[in-house]
C-alpha cells in the first residue's frame, strides 16, 4: 500500500511536467492548427538556460526560471516570424519547418553547452517530507504547485482577457477575426511565445528532477505529445488530465514491468487512443490548410 | 487526393540521394586503392571509435585522451619502424547501429587496428564486421558478452564484469558481512552484464538479492524501482549502470530516504558519477576497480602527470585503460614488424605488458587482466579501502 502511494507521488510530479509540455503543444495547436514539433527542444533549451542562470550565473532559481522563460519566449517569436509567410499557404511546409527548428535547437544546444549534460541540484534544501512512510520531496510539491498556477493563469488569460478572447476567435475563424480587426499574425506570435514559455517552465522545473542534456527534449516531447493526444489535442484541460495520466501510468509501469515500462506505457496509450481517437476532451480539430 | 504535386515529391529526393551517394563513392575510391592493408610504408592507420556526443560522451572523451596520449608518446619517439602512427577518431554516439556502420567504414578505409569503444553494446555490434575484415580491436568494454563473441580479433584492455563483480561480491559478503543486498541495473549490454555477473557471484556465496530491479538505459526517473528497494531494507545496494544513470539513481535514492551505501564497478569511481549524484550522496560507496587512483604506483603517477600536462585535467580509470590498451596494440605492432590481420591479433595475444592496471597476459578469450581492488568514496574522492 505504501509502495502504491509512493509510486503515485512520483508519477504525479512528473505528470505535472508532462501536463505543462502538453499545454504548450495544445495552445499552439488550438490557435494555429499547427503541431509545433520544435516544442520539446524548446523545453530542452529552457532547461539548459534555467540551469545555466541558476548554476553558472548563480541567480536565484525563480529568477533563473523567469529569464529562461523570456529566452524561450523570444525563440518562439522567432520561429513564428520565420513561419509566418507560410501561414494559410503551405501547411505541410510549416510542420516540416517546426521539425527543422527542433533539429537546429539541438545542434545549438550542443554548440553552446557541449555534449555531456549536467545534473542540477534541487533548489530547495529542505529534507523530503515523511507522511506515513511516504517520502515526498519538497521540490516535487513546488513543481506541482507551479504547474497548477500555470494552468489557472493560462485558463484565466484565454477566457477572461481581451487578448485571450481574440486568440480564441482566431482559432475559430481567422477570416472573420481578421474582418473584425484582430491581428492574426500577432495572435499567432503570442500563442507561440506563450507555448515556448510553457516549454521553458516544464524544462526548467524538470532539470533538478532528471538530467539536463541535448536529448532531454526527446524524453519530454514524446510523453508530452502523448499527454496532449490522450487528453484531446487542443484542449487545455485535456492537456492537464493527459499529462497526469501519462505520468502516473509511466510510474506504475516502471514499478511492475521494469525494463519494459516504456513499451507498456505506450501500449496502454495506443489502446486508449484506438478506443477514443479524439482523446478524453476531444474537440473537432482545427485545420487551416 | 486534391494535391497532385505530392506523389512527385519523393522523386527529386531520390535523385538527390543517388547523386550524393555517387559523389561519396567517388571521393573515397582513390583513398582505397592508394593504401593497401599492411602496406610497408606510409603512416600506420589506427581508428579510435568512441561516443563523442550524447550521454556517454564523457566516457568516450576519456578513452580518446588516453589513447591519444599513448600514440603521441610513440610518435615522439619516432613511431614504429620509422613510420608514424596516424590515429583518427570516429563518433559512434554510443549507438550500436552507428557503430556497425563505422565498422564497415573502418574496414573499407583499411585501418589496421581499432581502439575502442568504451561501450560494450557498441563493441559487440561492431565485432562481427571487424572479425570478418580481420581488424584487431581492443575495447574498454567489460561485459562478459564481449568474451561470448568468441572473436579472435577482440581484446579487452581491462577486466570483465565477472572479475569486477566477483571481487566486489566477495568483499561485501565476506569482509563486510552484508546479507541483505539489493540490486538495480539497466537492461543495456553493460548493465545486464553487471547484473548477471554480480547475481552469480553473490549466489555462489549463498546470498540472493532482497530486491532485483531492472531499469532501461534512457530512464531518468527511478522512483518506482527505488521504492521497491527501500521496502526491502537492504544493507547495501549494488548498481549496474553507466556513470550518469548511476549518479541519478543515487541522488534519487537519497531523496527517497535510502541510507544504505551503494556498491558497483568502474563507473561508480568516476568524477561524473560523483558530480551527478552530489558529493554527500555518494559518501561510502564501494567501488571495485583495477585503477583506484593516480597515486597508487610510480607508473600511474607518471601517466597522471603526462595526462595533466596534455589535457589540463586529472586522469582516471578509463584514460588509463585506453592508455594501456593502445600501448599493447603498439607494442604488438612493433614486435610483429607492423603485421596486420590474424598475425597482428596473434602478436597482441602474445604481448606481455606491465600496465597501469596490472600485468596484462591475454588468454584465448582476449582478457588480459583478472584482478581488481576495492575502493571507497570518502569526501568525494575514491580511495583504497583499508
Amino acid at each position: 500500500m505504501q509502495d502504491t502511494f509512493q509510486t503515485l507521488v512520483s508519477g504525479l510530479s512528473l505528470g505535472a511536467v508532462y501536463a505543462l509540455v502538453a499545454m504548450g503543444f495544445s495552445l499552439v495547436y488550438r490557435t494555429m492548427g499547427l503541431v509545433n514539433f520544435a516544442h520539446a527542444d524548446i523545453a530542452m533549451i529552457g532547461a539548459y538556460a534555467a540551469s545555466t542562470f541558476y548554476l553558472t550565473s548563480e541567480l536565484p532559481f525563480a529568477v533563473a526560471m523567469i529569464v529562461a522563460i523570456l529566452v524561450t519566449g523570444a525563440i518562439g517569436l522567432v520561429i513564428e516570424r520565420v513561419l509566418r509567410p507560410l501561414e494559410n499557404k503551405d501547411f505541410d511546409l510549416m510542420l516540416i519547418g517546426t521539425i527543422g527548428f527542433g533539429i537546429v535547437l539541438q545542434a545549438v544546444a550542443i554548440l553552446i553547452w557541449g555534449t555531456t549534460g549536467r545534473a542540477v541540484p534541487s533548489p530547495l534544501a529542505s529534507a523530503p517530507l515523511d507522511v506515513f512512510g511516504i517520502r515526498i520531496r519538497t521540490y516535487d510539491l513546488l513543481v506541482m504547485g507551479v504547474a497548477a498556477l500555470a494552468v489557472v493563469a493560462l485558463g484565466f488569460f484565454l477566457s477572461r482577457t481581451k487578448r485571450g478572447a481574440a486568440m480564441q476567435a482566431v482559432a475559430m475563424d481567422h477570416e472573420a477575426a481578421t474582418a473584425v480587426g484582430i491581428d492574426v499574425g500577432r495572435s499567432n506570435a503570442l500563442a507561440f511565445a506563450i507555448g515556448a514559455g510553457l516549454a521553458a517552465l516544464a524544462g526548467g522545473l524538470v532539470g533538478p528532477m532528471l538530467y539536463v542534456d541535448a536529448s532531454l527534449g526527446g524524453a519530454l516531447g514524446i510523453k508530452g505529445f502523448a499527454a496532449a493526444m490522450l487528453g484531446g489535442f487542443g484542449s487545455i484541460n485535456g492537456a492537464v488530465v493527459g499529462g497526469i495520466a501519462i505520468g502516473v501510468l509511466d510510474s506504475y509501469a516502471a514499478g511492475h514491468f521494469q525494463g519494459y515500462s516504456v513499451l507498456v506505457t505506450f501500449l496502454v496509450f495506443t489502446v486508449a487512443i484506438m478506443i477514443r481517437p479524439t482523446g478524453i476532451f476531444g474537440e473537432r480539430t482545427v485545420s487551416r490548410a | 487526393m486534391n494535391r497532385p504535386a505530392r506523389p512527385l515529391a519523393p522523386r527529386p529526393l531520390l535523385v538527390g540521394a543517388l547523386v550524393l551517394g555517387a559523389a561519396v563513392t567517388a571521393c573515397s575510391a582513390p583513398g582505397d586503392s592508394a593504401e593497401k592493408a599492411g602496406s610497408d610504408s606510409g603512416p600506420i592507420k589506427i581508428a579510435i571509435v568512441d561516443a563523442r556526443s550524447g550521454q556517454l560522451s564523457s566516457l568516450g572523451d576519456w578513452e580518446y585522451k588516453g589513447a591519444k596520449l599513448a600514440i603521441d608518446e610513440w610518435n615522439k619517439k619516432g613511431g614504429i619502424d620509422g613510420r608514424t602512427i596516424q590515429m583518427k577518431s570516429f563518433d559512434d554516439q554510443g549507438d550500436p547501429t552507428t557503430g556497425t556502420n563505422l565498422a564497415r567504414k573502418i574496414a573499407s578505409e583499411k585501418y589496421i587496428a581499432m581502439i575502442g569503444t568504451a561501450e560494450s553494446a557498441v563493441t559487440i555490434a561492431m565485432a562481427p564486421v571487424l572479425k570478418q575484415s580481420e581488424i584487431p580491436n581492443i575495447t574498454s568494454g567489460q561485459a562478459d558478452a564481449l568474451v561470448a563473441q568468441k572473436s579472435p580479433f577482440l581484446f579487452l584492455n581491462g577486466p570483465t564484469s565477472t572479475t569486477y563483480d566477483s571481487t566486489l561480491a566477495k568483499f561485501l559478503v565476506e569482509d563486510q558481512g552484508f546479507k541483505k543486498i539489493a540490486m538495480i541495473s539497466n537492461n543495456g549490454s553493460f548493465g545486464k552484464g553487471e547484473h548477471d555477473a554480480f547475481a552469480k557471484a553473490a549466489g555462489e556465496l549463498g546470498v540472493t538479492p532482497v530486491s532485483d530491479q531492472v531499469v532501461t538505459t534512457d530512464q531518468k526517473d527511478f522512483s518506482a524501482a527505488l521504492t521497491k528497494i527501500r521496502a526491502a531494507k537492504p544493507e547495501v545496494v549494488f548498481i549496474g549502470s553507466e556513470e550518469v544513470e548511476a549518479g541519478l539513481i543515487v541522488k534519487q535514492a537519497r531523496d527517497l530516504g535510502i541510507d544504505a551505501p551503494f556498491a558497483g564497478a568502474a563507473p561508480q569511481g568516476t568524477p561524473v558519477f560523483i558530480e551527478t549524484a552530489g558529493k554527500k550522496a555518494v559518501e561510502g560507496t564501494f567501488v571495485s576497480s583495477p585503477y583506484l587512483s593516480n597515486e597508487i604506483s610510480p607508473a600511474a603517477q607518471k601517466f597522471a602527470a603526462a595526462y595533466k600536462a596534455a589535457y589540463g585535467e586529472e586522469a582516471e580509470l578509463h584514460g588509463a585503460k585506453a592508455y594501456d590498451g593502445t600501448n599493447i596494440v603498439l607494442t604488438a605492432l612493433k614486435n610483429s614488424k607492423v603485421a596486420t590481420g590474424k598475425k597482428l591479433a596473434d602478436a597482441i595475444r602474445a604481448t606481455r605488458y606491465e600496465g597501469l592496471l596490472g600485468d596484462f597476459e591475454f588468454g584465448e578469450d582476449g582478457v588480459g587482466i583478472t584482478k581488481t581492488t576495492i575502493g571507497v568514496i570518502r569526501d568525494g574522492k575514491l580511495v583504497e579501502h583499508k
Side-chain angles (χ1 to χ4, degrees):
Chain A
M1 202 56 196
Q2 203 182 5
D3 280 14
T4 313
F5 280 113
Q6 186 70 61
T7 313
L8 182 69
V9 168
S10 63
L12 283 177
S13 58
L14 269 181
V17 174
Y18 298 149
L20 285 176
V21 178
M23 267 159 64
F25 269 125
S26 281
L27 184 69
V28 172
Y29 184 80
R30 68 186 272 143
T31 27
M32 298 176 72
L34 174 74
V35 178
N36 175 15
F37 281 106
H39 188 64
D41 291 308
I42 298 176
M44 177 270 295
I45 294 280
Y48 257 129
S51 73
T52 304
F53 292 122
Y54 173 50
L55 295 175
T56 314
S57 311
E58 295 188 3
L59 293 176
F61 190 68
V63 180
M65 285 291 298
I66 290 168
V67 181
I69 289 169
L70 293 178
V71 169
T72 58
I75 294 174
L77 288 178
V78 170
I79 297 179
E80 194 278 331
R81 196 70 199 84
V82 173
L83 295 179
R84 195 180 289 181
L86 298 169
E87 168 82 347
N88 298 325
K89 292 197 185 77
D90 195 330
F91 199 73
D92 298 349
L93 217 52
M94 277 179 91
L95 270 184
I96 295 168
T98 64
I99 296 174
F101 265 110
I103 296 167
V104 169
L105 288 176
Q106 278 190 31
V108 167
I110 289 174
L111 275 180
I112 301 178
W113 289 288
T115 51
T116 329
R118 54 170 62 161
V120 183
S122 166
L124 293 180
S126 50
L129 306 176
D130 206 319
V131 185
F132 304 112
I134 300 162
R135 301 273 289 201
I136 305 169
R137 276 176 282 201
T138 38
Y139 183 71
D140 283 1
L141 291 176
L142 177 82
V143 170
M144 289 187 245
V146 171
L149 267 181
V151 173
V152 173
L154 186 66
F156 181 81
F157 171 76
L158 285 176
S159 58
R160 293 275 189 275
T161 64
K162 217 172 164 187
R163 269 275 144 72
M167 273 170 72
Q168 307 254 49
V170 172
M172 280 177 229
D173 187 342
H174 78 283
E175 274 164 6
T178 317
V180 297
I182 296 170
D183 187 336
V184 175
R186 189 181 295 166
S187 167
N188 288 345
L190 193 62
F192 244 99
I194 297 177
L198 283 171
L201 189 62
L205 284 175
V206 91
M209 300 164 80
L210 307 179
Y211 185 76
V212 181
D213 66 2
S215 66
L216 178 67
L220 283 183
I222 188 115
K223 300 271 167 64
F225 188 78
M229 291 278 285
L230 192 63
F233 229 115
S235 158
I236 301 298
N237 295 334
V240 176
V241 174
I244 290 170
I246 291 283
V248 171
L249 175 64
D250 199 34
S251 196
Y252 280 109
H256 290 283
F257 301 98
Q258 306 200 351
Y260 302 97
S261 61
V262 182
L263 181 69
V264 173
T265 304
F266 281 95
L267 267 179
V268 174
F269 165 73
T270 310
V271 171
I273 284 300
M274 280 165 77
I275 296 169
R276 203 176 154 81
T278 54
I280 302 166
F281 292 88
E283 294 172 14
R284 201 169 52 82
T285 54
V286 201
S287 177
R288 284 218 220 139
Chain B
M1 289 301 156
N2 52 358
R3 285 180 215 175
R6 255 200 175 160
L8 289 173
R11 208 165 286 168
L13 241 175
L14 187 70
V15 174
L18 283 175
V19 170
L20 192 72
V24 169
T25 335
C27 288
S28 59
D32 282 352
S33 53
E35 291 169 58
K36 290 227 163 60
S39 57
D40 303 327
S41 58
I44 299 164
K45 289 173 75 179
I46 293 183
I48 298 187
V49 182
D50 268 305
R52 304 307 306 271
S53 55
Q55 190 170 304
L56 298 166
S57 61
S58 44
L59 207 59
D61 193 45
W62 288 324
E63 170 144 311
Y64 169 78
K65 285 175 173 160
K68 186 172 185 308
L69 191 64
I71 290 176
D72 286 350
E73 284 177 4
W74 278 70
N75 274 336
K76 221 177 267 171
K77 285 186 282 178
I80 297 170
D81 280 357
R83 297 166 63 180
T84 52
I85 303 142
Q86 187 189 51
M87 61 176 271
K88 190 173 172 201
S89 163
F90 298 88
D91 180 9
D92 64 37
Q93 300 163 15
D95 173 44
T97 317
T98 314
T100 331
N101 286 333
L102 284 179
R104 291 202 191 89
K105 194 174 157 72
I106 286 164
S108 71
E109 292 182 8
K110 313 284 181 207
Y111 283 87
I112 65 174
M114 174 185 143
I115 313 287
T117 75
E119 242 265 307
S120 299
V122 182
T123 305
I124 290 167
M126 295 177 80
V129 181
L130 295 175
K131 183 178 170 187
Q132 202 183 6
S133 7
E134 305 204 331
I135 298 173
N137 170 24
I138 189 153
T139 173
S140 278
Q142 65 182 59
D144 287 279
L146 290 165
V147 176
Q149 297 297 307
K150 296 206 190 309
S151 164
F153 294 92
L154 184 59
F155 299 90
L156 276 69
N157 61 22
T160 58
S161 289
T162 299
T163 303
Y164 278 101
D165 295 326
S166 52
T167 313
L168 185 65
K170 218 166 152 216
F171 167 79
L172 294 176
V173 175
E174 288 179 355
D175 286 21
Q176 302 288 303
F178 292 138
K179 291 275 173 290
K180 294 173 79 177
I181 302 176
M183 294 177 67
I184 179 165
S185 53
N186 72 35
N187 58 3
S189 246
F190 172 76
K192 187 162 184 340
E194 286 290 289
H195 171 274
D196 295 352
F198 186 82
K200 185 163 172 274
E204 279 163 7
L205 296 164
V207 172
T208 8
V210 287
S211 181
D212 184 357
Q213 300 295 317
V214 178
V215 297
T216 61
T217 45
D218 52 2
Q219 202 166 323
K220 299 269 159 63
D221 174 57
F222 307 97
S223 319
L226 290 170
T227 302
K228 295 235 157 108
I229 287 181
R230 191 185 61 165
K233 297 194 173 58
E235 292 164 321
V236 63
V237 183
F238 170 83
I239 316 182
S241 86
E242 291 86 348
E243 292 79 10
V244 170
E245 189 169 62
L248 292 173
I249 288 173
V250 174
K251 182 181 170 188
Q252 294 175 15
R254 296 292 181 240
D255 280 347
L256 277 174
I258 297 175
D259 300 323
F262 284 81
Q268 280 69 48
T270 59
V272 170
F273 165 73
I274 296 169
E275 272 159 39
T276 307
K279 241 177 164 186
K280 221 178 112 208
V282 296
E283 184 72 12
T285 301
F286 299 111
V287 182
S288 172
S289 168
Y291 187 84
L292 285 180
S293 84
N294 298 329
E295 312 300 325
I296 243 131
S297 71
Q301 281 168 5
K302 192 169 157 252
F303 161 73
Y307 192 95
K308 182 119 197 210
Y311 309 114
E313 52 187 83
E314 296 294 330
E316 47 59 73
L317 167 69
H318 296 90
K321 273 170 90 172
Y323 182 80
D324 273 357
T326 310
N327 269 316
I328 290 167
V329 172
L330 298 178
T331 309
L333 276 168
K334 183 165 179 254
N335 292 345
S336 65
K337 305 227 177 304
V338 198
T340 55
K342 183 100 182 50
K343 272 192 192 141
L344 178 58
D346 289 339
I348 293 174
R349 200 166 291 114
T351 303
R352 299 283 169 270
Y353 177 79
E354 277 181 43
L356 304 167
L357 270 66
D359 295 340
F360 283 84
E361 197 176 336
F362 288 97
E364 274 304 303
D365 56 0
V367 181
I369 292 263
T370 48
K371 219 181 90 196
T372 64
T373 21
I374 299 294
V376 65
I377 297 177
R378 295 257 176 260
D379 292 326
K381 270 206 131 85
L382 184 61
V383 293
E384 203 176 349
H385 186 269
K386 284 172 191 151

